[in-house]
Amino acid sequence: MKIGVLALQGAFIEHINMLKSLGVEAVEVRLPEQLDGLDGLIIPGGESTTIGKLARRFGLMEPLRAFAESKPVWGTCAGMIFLAKEITSGTAGKDQPLLGMMDIEVARNAFGRQVDSFETDLDVLVFTNGDKRPFPAVFIRAPKLLAAKGDAHVIAQLPDGTAVAAQQGHWLVTSFHPELTGDSRFHEYFLSVIAQEKEQSQ
Ligand code: GLN
């Protein structure tokens, strides 16, 4: 299995390290041709306007959309914003390029200034292997998932009901940063989505 991490800006090294610690080949992606032969892609956290503008400048917008149509993609934090179809008005950066793939509505920086960063334990519904340990989720100027529509469904919520992770087929989004914790269960879950898809296409 070979996984790419979009490496234009943000926390891509941490994802690469986490994937390598799981014994998976992980490569940095900055150019369209580097998507060739990948089984999945992670779009990291960082600054979604910057990631979008760099993606446009490097001719990555259409190649990323084509890749996401056929292969699993996981967006963390800024990556979640970049994958969303809808950004609530007032929170989108001016001239912010979006891949616009997933049927989710997202509000940027929606946890307020005082709580720009926080850590909390989450119950994640898709860890169905009997593993009931809470997931330590790190939120850094995180977006809120205001709505999951169509085939998209919420897979993790804060205790107050705020949605913070969703899945739509082979697309996954989390408003937090699993690569910044020592807990690899989200990465393992993404690998299981990829493995399932590979199996089905054989
Ligand atoms: N606030 C950033 C944005 O709007 C996301 C923050 C993050 O990725 N940790 O793009």
Side-chain angles (χ1 to χ4, degrees):
M1 207 185 268
K2 187 174 170 189
I3 303 195
V5 181
L6 190 63
L8 300 174
Q9 188 264 342
F12 54 87
I13 294 287
E14 291 82 355
H15 276 295
I16 299 245
N17 291 341
M18 184 70 100
L19 291 167
K20 286 186 175 162
S21 78
L22 293 170
V24 174
E25 187 180 355
V27 295
E28 295 176 11
V29 173
R30 292 189 184 82
L31 299 168
E33 54 269 30
Q34 291 168 333
L35 292 166
D36 294 346
L38 298 180
D39 297 303
L41 179 77
I42 296 177
I43 303 176
E47 215 291 318
S48 57
T49 311
T50 307
I51 291 174
K53 286 185 174 171
L54 290 173
R56 191 166 58 189
R57 188 181 309 161
F58 293 130
L60 273 161
M61 295 298 283
E62 280 315 314
L64 284 172
R65 288 189 183 113
F67 183 88
E69 283 295 343
S70 61
K71 297 276 170 61
V73 177
W74 171 20
T76 54
C77 206
M80 167 166 126
I81 298 165
F82 194 40
L83 273 172
K85 270 197 181 152
E86 216 176 317
I87 305 245
T88 300
S89 70
T91 59
K94 270 207 180 92
D95 186 27
Q96 170 164 17
L98 298 175
L99 292 180
M101 309 290 296
M102 240 177 117
D103 291 310
I104 52 170
E105 188 184 334
V106 171
R108 290 180 67 191
N109 305 327
F111 286 97
R113 279 202 183 154
Q114 304 88 319
V115 274
D116 280 348
S117 302
F118 62 98
E119 190 171 337
T120 190
D121 283 343
L122 282 183
D123 293 324
V124 182
L125 309 174
V126 285
F127 298 158
T128 49
N129 52 354
D131 190 345
K132 292 267 195 300
R133 283 174 300 142
F135 189 85
V138 177
F139 292 79
I140 304 168
R141 287 182 62 73
K144 267 187 193 171
L145 194 52
L146 299 182
K149 304 170 186 174
D151 294 335
H153 58 278
V154 173
I155 58 170
Q157 293 171 310
L158 295 177
D160 70 0
T162 304
V164 290
Q167 183 168 356
Q168 179 174 4
H170 60 207
W171 299 327
L172 197 62
V173 285
T174 51
S175 9
F176 47 94
H177 288 261
E179 78 286 5
L180 299 182
T181 64
D183 194 322
S184 59
R185 281 178 292 165
F186 243 105
H187 289 77
E188 289 167 46
Y189 180 64
F190 185 55
L191 298 182
S192 77
V193 171
I194 294 173
Q196 227 173 349
E197 179 123 334
K198 270 181 89 115
E199 211 169 280
Q200 276 163 11
S201 65
Q202 267 162 20

